[in-house]
Amino acid sequence: MQLRLDALETHLAKSLSPLYVIASDEHLLALEAADKIRKTARANGYTERDVLVVERSFKWGELLAANQSQSLFGDKKLIELRIPTGKPGKDGGQALQEYAANLNPDNLTIISLPKLDWATAKAAWVGTLQQAGVYIDIPLVERAHLPGWIGNRLAAQQQSADRQCMDFIADRVEGNLLAAHQEIQKLGLLYPTGKLTFEQVHDAVLNVARYDVFKLNEAMLSGDAARLMRMMDGLKGEGEALPLVLWAVAEEVRTLLKLKSGVTQGKQLGMLLKEYRIWGPREKLMEPALRRISLSTLQTALQEAAQIDKMVKGLRAKAFSGDAWDALSQLGLKLARGY
């Protein structure tokens, strides 16, 4: 069965499944979910623990052996299997299916995975795990939901703050939920319960953001120029490879250009989104972005991306002068603003 993260505590209060699978790239939330399962397992007599990590030299027989071995003292056992890549391979997939079909009633198993890509999520071994146990797929906390998440965490430690404070914290910890958790805990240690002032938050919270190049499209599509510039500066400061950032921006321009051209020709946007496999949060941003950005702007943007590529390779570009990072920021702003 599939279970939402916010329903985990209620589930654990009622019963324990012999198998839990946690899939997420949000490491803090995945760790917290696993901790809740471990705590409940210990309270129910699962005192022995085996931890297996699937690395290059891992033998899948170790998992099957752990499931079959008995404790010398007859204690129930917690088995944790961590698959950092999310790709167990053919042998691993078969072993996981065999494991799920022969769960030992004296064992409780937690399997930890990263967020699975579309193709892997359709694999037979994933389906078998979902049917045999409790599957918890934890999504990323998107930037738009981060202030609310921060507010809930503050409330849990009897503190509160206004939207300006929560936006300030969100800007400083974007892409780094563990850092957000640590900063919130620090506020709990520094200040008493009650409402925090902006000055208190400003003085306490560090700039610990980690910027993801593949989140640039959100800032561009939503027209959030300020966030876009923060991300550009952050990626440059973190030493991100400029060709990768340029590729991400250029790919978004190509996608927008295909969609805009299709709509101009009278095609339905919904059909085009399906054709180009655009879904989720990105899908919701496309329609307003296409209304804001003209076809000619997108055509020019693609030409400018080619000019910036020349700059990256050390060649002169007619459209820009100076630094390639600055040129790329200008291009991103053009897309965010729609002109």
Side-chain angles (χ1 to χ4, degrees):
M1 61 174 284
Q2 297 209 34
L3 187 73
R4 287 169 53 93
L5 178 61
D6 55 12
L8 178 59
E9 286 193 26
T10 302
H11 162 82
L12 292 173
K14 295 178 180 178
S15 63
L16 267 177
S17 169
L19 172 64
Y20 290 89
V21 182
I22 303 172
S24 182
D25 285 337
E26 206 66 92
H27 303 299
L28 171 68
L29 300 185
L31 178 62
E32 289 180 341
D35 281 343
K36 290 176 182 177
I37 299 169
R38 290 188 198 103
K39 182 178 179 180
T40 305
R42 285 195 297 270
N44 283 270
Y46 293 87
T47 55
E48 191 174 341
R49 183 183 178 206
D50 284 352
V51 179
L52 305 174
V53 181
V54 178
E55 299 174 321
R56 186 181 296 273
S57 59
F58 182 75
K59 305 297 184 184
W60 284 98
E62 296 178 36
L63 174 63
L64 303 179
N67 188 44
Q68 294 166 359
S69 64
Q70 298 294 316
S71 167
L72 291 174
F73 304 101
D75 295 332
K76 293 189 286 187
K77 182 164 59 175
L78 173 64
I79 300 172
E80 295 191 43
L81 177 69
R82 300 169 185 172
I83 311 177
T85 64
K87 296 183 183 297
K90 183 178 179 181
D91 291 344
Q94 291 175 346
L96 288 169
Q97 291 185 75
E98 180 181 345
Y99 186 87
N102 297 281
L103 292 171
N104 189 325
D106 292 327
N107 296 335
L108 186 150
T109 303
I110 303 174
I111 299 177
S112 298
L113 302 164
K115 177 69 176 178
L116 301 180
D117 58 44
W118 182 86
T120 305
K122 300 295 182 183
W125 63 269
V126 177
T128 299
L129 294 179
Q130 290 174 339
Q131 292 176 2
V134 175
Y135 192 92
I136 307 168
D137 189 0
I138 306 173
L140 293 174
V141 177
E142 300 294 343
R143 175 60 179 82
H145 301 133
L146 189 52
W149 184 89
I150 292 168
N152 291 336
R153 291 284 168 137
L154 286 173
Q157 58 191 35
Q158 286 78 53
Q159 290 180 318
S160 64
D162 60 23
R163 182 59 188 240
Q164 181 188 18
C165 291
M166 290 188 287
D167 282 336
F168 177 81
I169 298 172
D171 287 343
R172 295 303 181 276
V173 300
E174 180 173 350
N176 192 349
L177 209 62
L178 181 58
H181 172 68
Q182 291 170 339
E183 294 300 316
I184 292 165
Q185 285 189 317
K186 183 167 66 176
L187 289 169
L189 294 171
L190 289 174
Y191 304 116
T193 58
K195 188 167 184 177
L196 301 168
T197 67
F198 181 77
E199 288 72 23
Q200 288 174 323
V201 172
H202 182 274
D203 290 345
V205 176
L206 300 172
N207 187 351
V208 290
R210 289 179 183 169
Y211 295 107
D212 182 350
V213 62
F214 298 106
K215 293 289 184 179
L216 274 176
N217 67 324
E218 290 184 7
M220 290 190 299
L221 293 174
S222 63
D224 192 340
R227 182 187 177 200
L228 175 68
M229 294 310 296
R230 280 199 308 273
M231 295 184 77
M232 284 287 191
D233 289 343
L235 289 167
K236 181 180 179 180
E238 291 170 359
E240 185 61 81
L242 181 53
L244 176 62
V245 183
L246 174 60
W247 175 85
V249 173
E251 280 297 296
E252 200 62 61
V253 173
R254 291 187 187 96
T255 300
L256 286 166
L257 190 54
K258 290 174 184 176
L259 294 174
K260 190 76 173 183
S261 299
V263 171
T264 303
Q265 294 167 14
K267 296 180 181 179
Q268 293 293 321
L269 178 58
M271 295 300 294
L272 290 168
L273 291 172
K274 288 182 180 179
E275 180 181 348
Y276 294 114
R277 300 177 69 178
I278 299 169
W279 50 74
R282 188 167 169 236
E283 178 183 2
K284 297 177 182 178
L285 295 172
M286 280 298 180
E287 186 173 358
L290 290 169
R291 286 199 303 267
R292 187 179 70 250
I293 308 172
S294 69
L295 182 63
S296 61
T297 296
L298 290 170
Q299 291 169 336
T300 302
L302 194 58
Q303 294 170 356
E304 291 179 355
Q307 293 291 311
I308 297 171
D309 184 54
K310 288 184 177 180
M311 297 176 71
V312 172
K313 295 173 180 175
L315 304 174
R316 294 187 62 181
K318 296 179 181 179
F320 301 100
S321 60
D323 182 72
W325 275 104
D326 291 338
L328 188 54
S329 296
Q330 292 176 41
L331 175 57
L333 283 173
K334 175 180 289 188
L335 295 167
R337 293 169 175 167
Y339 57 85

